[in-house]
Amino acid sequence: MSAIDRHRARYTPEQLERLPPGQVITEKWPILTAGPNPRIDLATWNFRLSGRMEGEFSVSWEEFGALPRVKVTTDMHCVTRWSRIGTTWEGVAIREILKRVKLLPDARFAVAHSHGGYTTNLPLADLLDDEVLLADTNDGEPLSIDHGGPMRLVVPKLYAWKSAKWCREIEFLTDDRPGFWENYGYHNHGDPWKEERMWRD
Ligand SMILES: Nc1nc2c(c(=O)[nH]1)N[C@H]1C(S)=C(S)[C@@H](COP(=O)(O)O)O[C@H]1N2
Ligand SMILES: [Mo]
């Protein structure tokens, strides 16, 4: 029996139902960042949409805070095999933001860009999932800098490397463009239920 299976043997059926294959439950919230935290100044902070769309969307920190808000309780799965089960994010739904521009019919993919240079790509259809949000709060606390504060993208249905911390821009594309980890061999899509971990699994 593998170490992973030994952990999983202790879980309740309810826990196992929510736990994708090959994952174990973590009680603590690990910090996973490639490189140093970026420096972010709220006075100049800005989030924008770009690429294959009509209109413009760009908000200051104050304007972001005035957008209609949502609360999403969901799970978080890291490809390094930990899952956080049942955590609540608060922020602004991507769908809410997308009401404010008009995507062109050829927009099929998105790339999230972070302060500090990290990027990650996903199909537009996954970004449009109703659980996807730009979160500034987790379990009632403002998001710390380590966890992507002041604001990060959260895409619960894909491995957490798709949930770009310190998100500053979402770009809409016609043709897919792999991001940081996708270029290092992580799976282009990253569905935890299908164990889409590495590109050539
Ligand atoms: N900007 C940025 N976002 C990122 C990362 C990163 O290195 N830089 N790491 C990703 C990975 S691999 C995971 S598992 C989650 C971890 O989020 P956490 O550190 O809040 O647990 O953030 C993702 N988003
Ligand atoms: Mo991760």
Side-chain angles (χ1 to χ4, degrees):
M1 204 190 236
S2 73
I4 298 279
D5 288 339
R6 271 198 300 278
H7 276 284
R8 292 179 62 103
R10 297 192 209 115
Y11 298 146
T12 64
E14 292 73 24
Q15 284 176 315
L16 283 172
E17 199 172 302
R18 290 173 63 172
L19 200 58
Q23 296 293 112
V24 297
I25 297 173
T26 179
E27 298 301 331
K28 288 182 301 180
W29 185 4
I31 296 164
L32 262 96
T33 306
N37 286 348
R39 276 170 192 268
I40 292 175
D41 178 1
L42 286 185
T44 55
W45 183 93
N46 167 271
F47 171 79
R48 63 191 290 260
L49 301 177
S50 66
R52 304 299 299 157
M53 62 182 207
E54 278 169 22
E56 283 184 19
F57 181 87
S58 174
V59 280
S60 66
W61 181 245
E62 204 181 338
E63 290 163 339
F64 179 77
L67 292 169
R69 294 175 66 80
V70 285
K71 235 187 226 194
V72 177
T73 297
T74 184
D75 306 327
M76 178 176 188
H77 311 293
C78 174
V79 72
T80 63
R81 299 188 181 274
W82 55 263
S83 292
R84 278 180 84 206
I85 298 298
T87 183
T88 301
W89 302 96
E90 286 173 62
V92 180
I94 279 288
R95 286 191 178 176
E96 183 65 46
I97 293 206
L98 287 179
K99 288 179 191 165
R100 290 159 171 80
V101 296
K102 188 164 178 274
L103 295 186
L104 294 175
D106 65 4
R108 288 169 43 233
F109 296 93
V111 172
H113 298 260
S114 297
H115 292 277
Y118 184 87
T119 55
T120 187
N121 60 314
L122 67 168
L124 181 61
D126 288 308
L127 187 73
L128 295 180
D129 191 275
D130 58 12
E131 284 193 332
V132 176
L133 79 161
L134 296 170
D136 57 22
T137 302
N138 180 269
D139 291 342
E141 298 287 337
L143 213 52
S144 68
I145 179 84
D146 285 335
H147 288 301
M151 184 276 261
R152 75 183 294 167
L153 177 64
V154 177
V155 187
K157 290 199 175 111
L158 298 178
Y159 281 124
W161 86 77
K162 300 287 183 180
S163 294
K165 304 200 276 191
W166 315 292
C167 191
R168 64 171 176 80
E169 179 174 336
I170 295 178
E171 184 185 0
F172 298 100
L173 302 171
T174 303
D175 298 312
D176 200 7
R177 189 206 296 151
F180 178 81
W181 282 120
E182 294 84 5
N183 273 316
Y184 276 101
Y186 280 24
H187 197 282
N188 195 50
H189 185 226
D191 180 341
W193 293 95
K194 296 183 185 157
E195 286 203 77
E196 292 174 339
R197 297 176 187 273
M198 297 297 143
W199 191 226
R200 261 187 284 269
D201 259 356

